[in-house]
Amino acid sequence: MSIHVNQLTKRYGNFTALDDISLSIDDGELVALLGPSGCGKTTLLRSIAGMEFADSGNILLEGRDMTFEPIRHRQVGFVFQHYALFNHMSVFENVAYGLRVRPRAQRPNEAAIRQRVHELLELVQLEWLAKRFPPQLSGGQRQRIALARALAVEPRYLLLDEPFGALDANVRKELRRWLRRLHEELHVTSLFVTHDQEEAMEVASRIVVMNHGRIEQVGTPADIYDEPRTPFVSSFIGNVNVFQGTIRSGAFHSGSWRLPLTDARDTLNAAEQNAFVRPHDIEIVHPSTSEWQARVQHIQPMGSSYHIEAVPFADASGGDGPQIESGLIVIELTRHAFKSLSLSLGDRVGLKIHHIHWFQPRQVIGKPSIAPPVPA
Amino acid sequence: MSQRKTLLPGFGLSLGITVFTLSLLVLIPLLALVTKSAELSLGGMWDALADRRVLAAFRVSFSTAFAAAFANVFLGLIVAWVLVRYPLPFKRGFDALIDLPFALPTAVAGIVLTTLYAPNGWLGQFFTDWGIRVAFTPLGIIVALIFIGLPFVGRTVEPVLQELDRQQEEASTSLGASRWQTFYRVLLPPLVPAILTGFSLAFARGLGEYGSVIFIAGNMPMRSEIVPLLIVTKLEQYDYAGATVIALASLVVAFIMLLVVNGLQHWTRKRTGRD
Amino acid sequence: MSRILQPQTASREQKAETPFVRYLLSLLALAIIGLFLILPLVAVLFEAFREGWQAYLTAVTDRYTRHAILLTLFTALICVPLNTLFGIAAAWCIARFQFPGRSLLTTLIDLPFSVSPVIAGLVFILIFGAQGWFGGWFAANGFPVIFALPGIVLATMFVTLPFVARELIPLMQAQGAEQEEAAIMLGAGPWRMFWTITLPRIKWGLLYGVILCNARAMGEFGAVSVVSGHIRGSTNTLPLHVEILYNEYQFSAAFAVATLLAGLAIVTLIAKSIVEWRQQRQWENASS
């Protein structure tokens, strides 16, 4: 039940919703389409479902070209962002709908329909709501009914448009886990759209990051986080400090700050480079042991961790500090590390950088890099 | 028509039915109106329109429709205000009754208003005492048009009045404004687009109204003869070209009026930042 | 059109205007309603029975009255279903699809409301009248349009064309297309989708439009008057019959027949209120 998208392009007037998208999804995968609003992720999902029709390119389901096939040949289950439950039908009738509208020859008899609906309601753990009507349900319940309704027709592909978008934070968390377990149980090839990177990381086995109608990167959550291929991916997935500077004679220079590079590969790009550093890849050390020094300006407890905002010092020679977009360096410490440092406001600290992603500044955010950046 | 492929069915069929029906019932007939008028030369058209009786009919139609729509702004506003804001017995019944002029056939409205306002009628006799004649004068036309147009202002103002933000009113009061100042400065401005809409609807309806007016108007040429009646008169005299030219002219004028009022409304909305 | 009035909290009102202003305004409103709306209805009844029950019954059961009733019902029976079909089709393509000329189409649908009924009748005379484009041909083939039933139907359809579409377009736009898309995704065919999803969701709005359309179809005077020729016992609808009786100074008979139309208006208002109340809930569901 694989999905192949080949060079799909879709324009609305001057706006390019999908720009030459190619993508392969294997049987049984659970994939997230992740990106900011307007990046084309929903258009891509609707195109695969057959609800939108691309200007060029094609879509293959299980190797068959389905670009112009009508919906009913695609065997796609679709869960709408706002669920689109039929408000004038009971929950039972909502779930049964897909079975009742089948051509007479393929339609199961009443007993079989009843049986199947009850199985599905059991699966989503809402059997007791069968006689209610959608307006009487909570958001989370509607979401699960919408899923049961989509599954009733035994789809080979399950497509979900922002499935948790309209829910409260705690219901959301619970449903994410539930969806992942459900997928493990059913193993239907599934694709869902989200703008929440945490949600994508938690639920999906692979993530497709999109921006401006293009695919920025495809990979496992770990790949995407640890090896972002573009500045956009790096900053969209989690927080990042961006140091602007150049690499000269074996060291990175940002303003008056200098960072010797030990890895020979880093020195290959003897050009302007931006260093993308995640907050948790910065260690706070004694000021005497690091050339990079800063003053603690703000300490923000985040529950499991602490965020430290530090203002960089210029070096001893009185030059400018490093060039940072925000003028601040954000450091994330584990609770344990924070306690052992016993930091207070105004402290002078040394910074040690553990991991850098290099991107050339000319790579406008949002365009994929031409030369693959080399991780530090 | 460039039709994009879409998921939902029935675009071609529904558009086909819509365009076919509109062409048959609206477009072709209106085209007939234009081509028939074109049979007269421009000079002929001018002669047909510049006739004193025709001009008088236009003057009567415009002035009475305007007066009635103007009166309806106040009547409609008062009724809507009271029905939305004050406790009143049988409120729901009264509210439903507001639409009576829409539901009552105009011929019935015409004969009953004539009977009521005739010099010896239930209401007419009081006016007679003061030396005022209502029925069979332009005043009678205004009365009929007020009846016909009564729901327009009320019905467009009512929903806006219901959704007005009570907090703005309270804020105004808390800042020391008197009740009248609050009404005039806070409540009235957002109602203006709805009032203008209601006015223009009532005015347009008044220009074209026939059934309720002809009984009460007296239909004296030059004095209480309205444009629609003049069209009918010309038709009965088999002066098709004359009738058509007058019809076309009144149609054009009505559209221009509607455009002006729509523009005015658009401008007010922009100014008050409402949609 | 009106939606149901929300019950207002009395306490706040009482602070709003001084009691004097409140009573004055309430009295004015009641006077307007009484003078312009209630009094005419009462007068219709009073005048109808001025000459007693017997005269009333005679007028209402008169041969020509019976014929007028039948003709009016028959006209409505043709026009209302056709305009309902048109309204659904127009609302479907305008509320569910984007296409060039869409706003022009919306304007055209509203056009009959801004055209004088007299002109609505006139245009059909220009096409089908004795000197009209096709009038001669239709008459020669034994199918006269003007001064006959087809003309009455055409004129009535013209003036009632917008009613259903105008109700449905905003309703369907507010509801959005998602539920219909969901039905298609679940494998429903077009008819199935229409009968199980679209129609149940718009039924109250549809009924509202149909009620208004019907009231106008049965009560239309100006447009029908121009094309009918006022042939008694043949092309006389109820409103035209009222006019003829009135012009013949048979006032009581005219008002007696008018009570039938006033009754229709009252029934219309009641039905409309009920449907409005149901429809209110449909609008609320549309947003949930």
Side-chain angles (χ1 to χ4, degrees), chain A residues 252-266:
Chain A
F252 172 66
H253 299 262
S254 177
S256 61
W257 280 20
R258 184 178 160 278
L259 181 71
L261 299 174
T262 49
D263 194 325
R265 283 181 304 165
D266 293 344

Side-chain angles (χ1 to χ4, degrees), chain B residues 5-91:
Chain B
K5 270 195 87 176
T6 40
L7 173 66
L8 292 176
F11 176 73
L13 181 69
S14 61
L15 187 70
I17 293 176
T18 309
V19 170
F20 175 78
T21 312
L22 276 176
S23 308
L24 207 69
L25 277 178
V26 180
L27 283 181
I28 295 177
L30 289 183
L31 197 69
L33 195 67
V34 176
T35 49
K36 184 78 189 174
S37 307
E39 283 175 13
L40 286 180
S41 64
L42 271 180
M45 277 180 168
W46 178 251
D47 290 342
L49 286 177
D51 179 59
R52 277 181 59 221
R53 186 171 166 191
V54 176
L55 289 179
F58 270 102
R59 207 191 57 236
V60 170
S61 271
F62 272 93
S63 55
T64 53
F66 187 88
F70 190 73
N72 270 333
V73 166
F74 296 95
L75 300 181
L77 200 57
I78 290 171
V79 171
W81 180 272
V82 169
L83 282 180
V84 170
R85 299 214 152 202
Y86 299 155
L88 212 64
F90 312 114
K91 198 157 159 170

Side-chain angles (χ1 to χ4, degrees), chain B residues 9 11 14 18 25 30 35 81 84-86 92 96 99 112 115 122 147 155 162 166 170 179 208 211 255, chain C residues 2 4-5 8 12-13 16-17 22 36 40 46 89-90 92-93 97 99 111 116 133 158 221 255 272-273:
Chain B
F11 176 73
S14 61
T18 309
L25 277 178
L30 289 183
T35 49
W81 180 272
V84 170
R85 299 214 152 202
Y86 299 155
R92 189 163 281 202
D99 284 327
V112 74
T115 306
W122 291 359
F147 174 82
R155 281 297 179 236
Q162 267 169 16
R166 289 271 165 155
E170 287 166 350
R179 192 62 201 152
F255 285 150
Chain C
S2 85
I4 296 301
L5 298 171
Q8 299 290 339
R12 208 184 278 155
E13 258 81 59
E17 283 91 23
R22 248 178 337 117
F36 278 99
F46 185 86
W92 181 254
C93 65
F97 299 94
F99 55 92
L111 200 61
S116 172
W133 289 354
F158 180 94
F221 176 77
F255 278 103
K272 192 168 137 314
S273 296

Side-chain angles (χ1 to χ4, degrees), chain C residues 31-245:
Chain C
I32 294 166
I33 293 171
L35 258 157
F36 278 99
L37 304 174
I38 297 175
L39 192 64
L41 280 180
V42 174
V44 169
L45 274 181
F46 185 86
E47 295 291 336
F49 289 102
R50 193 188 271 276
E51 285 168 22
W53 269 102
Q54 213 51 51
Y56 178 84
L57 283 181
T58 313
V60 169
T61 55
D62 173 76
R63 187 165 72 87
Y64 292 126
T65 309
R66 287 204 313 265
H67 186 273
I69 292 174
L70 283 182
L71 183 62
T72 298
L73 289 178
F74 190 67
T75 306
L77 206 65
I78 299 175
C79 291
V80 175
L82 285 177
N83 275 348
T84 304
L85 190 70
F86 167 79
I88 293 172
W92 181 254
C93 65
I94 285 171
R96 289 289 177 266
F97 299 94
Q98 296 286 338
F99 55 92
R102 185 164 155 271
S103 57
L104 180 71
L105 211 58
T106 318
T107 316
L108 279 179
I109 290 172
D110 273 348
L111 200 61
F113 275 171
S114 3
V115 173
S116 172
V118 168
I119 298 178
L122 167 69
V123 290
F124 290 106
I125 288 194
L126 294 180
I127 297 178
F128 297 108
Q131 292 150 20
W133 289 354
F134 313 115
W137 185 85
F138 274 98
N141 287 279
F143 190 77
V145 176
I146 296 306
F147 304 149
L149 181 68
I152 296 176
V153 168
L154 279 175
T156 306
M157 279 194 70
F158 180 94
V159 294
T160 56
L161 194 67
F163 280 105
V164 175
R166 266 173 77 104
E167 267 318 301
L168 291 187
I169 290 170
L171 176 66
M172 286 173 72
Q173 272 168 344
Q175 285 175 336
E178 262 203 349
Q179 293 193 19
E180 276 128 4
E181 287 179 347
I184 297 289
M185 289 305 294
L186 289 167
W191 285 114
R192 197 77 196 201
M193 176 208 72
F194 177 76
W195 289 109
T196 58
I197 308 298
T198 309
L199 196 60
R201 295 180 77 211
I202 61 170
K203 63 180 174 207
W204 293 112
L206 183 65
L207 195 57
Y208 187 93
V210 167
I211 288 171
L212 293 183
C213 181
N214 179 64
R216 183 74 193 261
M218 290 190 174
E220 178 52 31
F221 176 77
V224 173
S225 157
V226 172
V227 294
S228 94
H230 301 77
I231 305 164
R232 226 189 253 223
S234 167
T235 60
N236 234 11
T237 63
L238 266 185
L240 298 182
H241 192 51
V242 169
E243 185 205 13
I244 289 188
L245 291 173

Side-chain angles (χ1 to χ4, degrees), chain A residues 60-121:
Chain A
L60 293 103
L61 300 182
E62 260 180 290
R64 278 186 56 206
D65 190 341
M66 289 287 188
T67 317
F68 298 107
E69 288 283 311
I71 303 266
R72 68 187 74 191
H73 297 166
R74 297 193 185 207
Q75 292 184 286
V76 164
F78 197 94
V79 177
F80 289 80
Q81 187 174 0
H82 302 290
Y83 323 130
L85 293 178
F86 307 133
N87 284 342
H88 60 285
M89 293 182 194
S90 67
V91 164
F92 182 94
E93 285 304 322
N94 262 281
V95 178
Y97 190 84
L99 301 171
R100 290 202 195 285
V101 299
R102 282 190 181 168
R104 201 171 293 275
Q106 297 161 37
R107 198 181 306 159
N109 62 28
E110 188 59 32
I113 290 177
R114 201 157 282 279
Q115 162 87 12
R116 176 88 185 121
V117 172
H118 281 297
E119 276 170 24
L120 282 160
L121 288 177

